[in-house]
Amino acid sequence: MRALPRKVKGALEKARDSALLAVEVYNKPAVKFKSGCYITLMVIAWTSLFHAIFYRKKRKPFCKEHGRFVKIENDFKHWELGECLSQYFKTDTGNPVRKNLEFFIPLRNRIEHRSMPELDSNIFGECQAMLLNFDEILAKEFGGEYCLRECLSFSLQLFPSSESLVAAVEHHPDTKLVVEFIQQYRSTISPDITASGKYSFKAFLIQVANHRTDTALPIQFVHHDRLTEEDKKHVSQFGAMVKFKEVPVSNLDTMRAGDIVKKVQAALGNPKVERGGKPVDKFNLAIHVRCWRRYKCPTHQLQCLP
């Protein structure tokens, strides 16, 4: 890194170190806060990489107000990742690399203060693409000698959990807001971007017969874009064989009957009646059931009852 200016070198070292730390934390088997740590560190890595790029292009990645650079505690306020994406990709709003990072910016804000290991397997594809894209942009802007790929090895794997987002909400209701964001964001992306390996990297780890030569690599990545049309058909057929089916859960966005009973009872002023010589709540589950049957309120709209 000798040939680079001081600011470029500093930002680039920070970017590479943050990315390496992100991978190291993610691959630690005892760490449960994998995605939160990984995403936070990779956002720092990407932001620093863009700063290095802008510094090298003689641009100052600082925020401005009324034509003047903003300072916080005597230090310039740098562009955050969202602004860096706007400045780097400009009008290319459909770029899959950009869409991948725009997925992680709000997601980081939602999970950095929560531990949600049940989400790890579901967002693994986006996490892997985030790293591969980082190394690709690093090579494009600064050359292959700065890439991380030579520093990293393929981590040893066990079969990861196939728990779906729906199951995660069932077991851990506090993940609901995060799950809703993930599902909503994915629904806004075009099929072309969703299918791109730059937005979400997905792979099948298939056990094959041992190689006869000692020089053959035990694991090799084959890019989908470089396959022949015939090979792509075979891969698609295999993907259909192992795809997990996510069964939607009814009443996912509604209140539970017990919660409705408590709310109605409180709204009525918490009235009591005497049954069996003891004061009990006047509005109970039995009355609630009679109400939704009387007013023909569907069970998936329980929250509509007074």
Side-chain angles (χ1 to χ4, degrees):
M1 299 184 184
R2 296 178 184 176
L4 298 175
R6 182 177 59 84
K7 285 188 175 181
V8 178
K9 179 181 177 181
L12 194 56
E13 286 179 343
K14 178 182 176 182
R16 296 179 79 252
D17 287 348
S18 297
L20 288 171
L21 280 172
V23 176
E24 180 182 350
V25 171
Y26 193 92
N27 286 337
K28 285 184 177 293
V31 175
K32 292 185 178 180
F33 189 51
K34 292 181 184 294
S35 294
C37 289
Y38 175 84
I39 294 169
T40 300
L41 287 168
M42 283 304 298
V43 166
I44 294 174
W46 269 101
T47 306
S48 299
L49 175 59
F50 282 127
H51 290 171
I53 294 170
F54 296 135
Y55 280 136
R56 185 171 56 83
K57 295 180 178 181
K58 308 298 183 183
R59 296 184 62 189
K60 296 179 179 179
F62 305 146
C63 298
K64 275 187 175 183
E65 285 185 5
H66 310 297
R68 298 176 64 88
F69 291 122
V70 178
K71 281 190 173 183
I72 299 179
E73 296 182 357
N74 295 322
D75 192 14
F76 290 111
K77 182 180 179 181
H78 287 70
W79 289 337
E80 295 186 357
L81 183 55
E83 181 62 24
C84 289
L85 294 176
S86 299
Q87 296 291 336
Y88 186 82
F89 291 103
K90 298 187 181 300
T91 58
D92 189 7
T93 56
N95 189 290
V97 176
R98 180 175 185 171
K99 286 296 184 183
N100 173 270
L101 293 173
E102 287 176 344
F103 169 73
F104 282 111
I105 294 173
L107 182 60
R108 176 204 58 182
N109 298 335
R110 286 169 168 79
I111 71 173
E112 65 180 343
H113 301 301
R114 298 183 178 94
S115 179
M116 299 181 178
E118 57 274 5
L119 300 181
D120 290 347
S121 61
N122 197 279
I123 61 174
F124 173 81
E126 284 93 345
C127 287
Q128 182 67 68
M130 191 186 198
L131 177 64
L132 295 176
N133 295 339
F134 176 87
D135 215 36
E136 186 173 316
I137 297 293
L138 192 61
K140 174 186 173 183
E141 296 289 347
F142 294 98
E145 64 269 26
Y146 294 102
C147 288
L148 303 179
R149 64 193 66 157
E150 299 302 327
C151 304
L152 302 175
S153 60
F154 195 88
S155 61
L156 298 178
Q157 299 290 324
L158 296 175
F159 295 104
S161 169
S162 59
E163 182 177 38
S164 67
L165 290 180
V166 172
V169 173
E170 283 185 319
H171 300 155
H172 307 280
D174 58 325
T175 65
K176 180 179 178 181
L177 292 178
V178 178
V179 169
E180 287 177 346
F181 163 75
I182 293 173
Q183 294 173 330
Q184 188 276 332
Y185 186 87
R186 287 173 174 171
S187 68
T188 63
I189 299 175
S190 68
D192 291 341
I193 295 177
T194 303
S196 170
K198 294 185 182 299
Y199 170 73
S200 178
F201 182 89
K202 296 180 181 179
F204 299 108
L205 186 61
I206 308 171
Q207 184 180 6
V208 297
N210 288 337
H211 300 288
R212 295 186 177 184
T213 62
D214 295 335
T215 57
L217 293 175
I219 295 175
Q220 300 182 46
F221 277 121
V222 179
H223 290 271
H224 185 268
D225 297 339
R226 300 174 188 173
L227 296 174
T228 65
E229 291 302 320
E230 188 65 25
D231 289 337
K232 288 180 180 179
K233 290 181 181 178
H234 290 311
V235 171
S236 299
Q237 291 172 357
F238 179 77
M241 291 170 58
V242 298
K243 184 179 292 185
F244 292 103
K245 181 180 179 181
E246 290 195 6
V247 180
V249 175
S250 60
N251 307 340
L252 180 61
D253 297 321
T254 58
M255 295 174 59
R256 295 184 178 184
D259 295 331
I260 295 175
V261 169
K262 292 179 182 178
K263 284 182 174 289
V264 174
Q265 173 68 13
L268 294 174
N270 200 29
K272 302 288 185 179
V273 295
E274 188 171 324
R275 290 195 181 97
K278 296 181 180 180
V280 296
D281 291 341
K282 184 175 181 179
F283 190 87
N284 55 32
L285 189 59
I287 296 176
H288 168 64
V289 172
R290 290 201 296 270
C291 285
W292 69 254
R293 286 176 177 170
R294 169 65 177 81
Y295 295 106
K296 299 180 180 179
C297 185
T299 55
H300 64 277
Q301 295 178 350
L302 291 176
Q303 72 271 31
C304 73
L305 293 175

